[in-house]
Amino acid sequence: IVIPTQAFASIVVSCARKLETSRWDTLFNLVGSPEQFFNDCIYHGNLRTAASFCLVADHYNPESAEQRIAVLRKSAETYNDLKLLKEIEHYAKTRA
C-alpha cells in the first residue's frame, strides 16, 4: 500500500496524540522526527497537521517552540486561516 506523504503525516500525528507520551520515542524512532513532519506539513500547506506536530515537537524540543509557533502563525496568516490563528494565539498564551 502506498500512502501519500501528507496522509501519512496525518495518520502519524493522530496515532501520537492517542498514545501516551512515554511511547512516542518508539513511534518516532520508526517513522521519523516530529520536527521534520512539522516542517514538511508547513511546506505543503497542511497547517492543521502541522499544528498537531507543533504540540508533539514541543515535547522533544521545547526551546524551539516559539520559533515553530511563529512559523505556524505566519503560514496561517498567509492562508488566511482565522480559526487556526485564534487557536495558535490561545496555545501561545497557555505556554507563557
Side-chain angles (χ1 to χ4, degrees):
I1 298 175
V2 177
I3 301 173
T5 304
Q6 289 307 297
F8 182 67
S10 181
I11 292 166
V12 168
V13 81
S14 292
C15 290
R17 300 286 306 272
K18 289 175 177 68
L19 288 172
E20 296 176 26
T21 56
S22 63
R23 296 183 177 240
W24 284 1
D25 287 346
T26 302
L27 174 65
F28 290 109
N29 284 335
L30 293 170
V31 299
S33 157
E35 190 78 37
Q36 187 59 53
F37 276 109
F38 172 80
N39 291 328
D40 290 347
C41 289
I42 291 291
Y43 178 79
H44 291 287
N46 193 352
L47 303 186
R48 292 285 166 180
T49 304
S52 294
F53 272 112
C54 187
L55 300 172
V56 174
D58 285 358
H59 172 78
Y60 288 100
N61 194 1
E63 58 277 356
S64 297
E66 294 303 319
Q67 180 182 355
R68 276 189 297 277
I69 290 169
V71 168
L72 187 57
R73 182 182 291 125
K74 183 168 176 42
S75 295
E77 288 170 353
T78 299
Y79 285 91
N80 199 32
D81 190 333
L82 301 178
K83 183 176 179 185
L84 181 57
L85 280 168
K86 191 174 187 177
E87 292 171 10
I88 293 166
E89 291 310 312
H90 174 75
Y91 178 66
K93 286 179 186 175
T94 62
R95 293 195 84 260

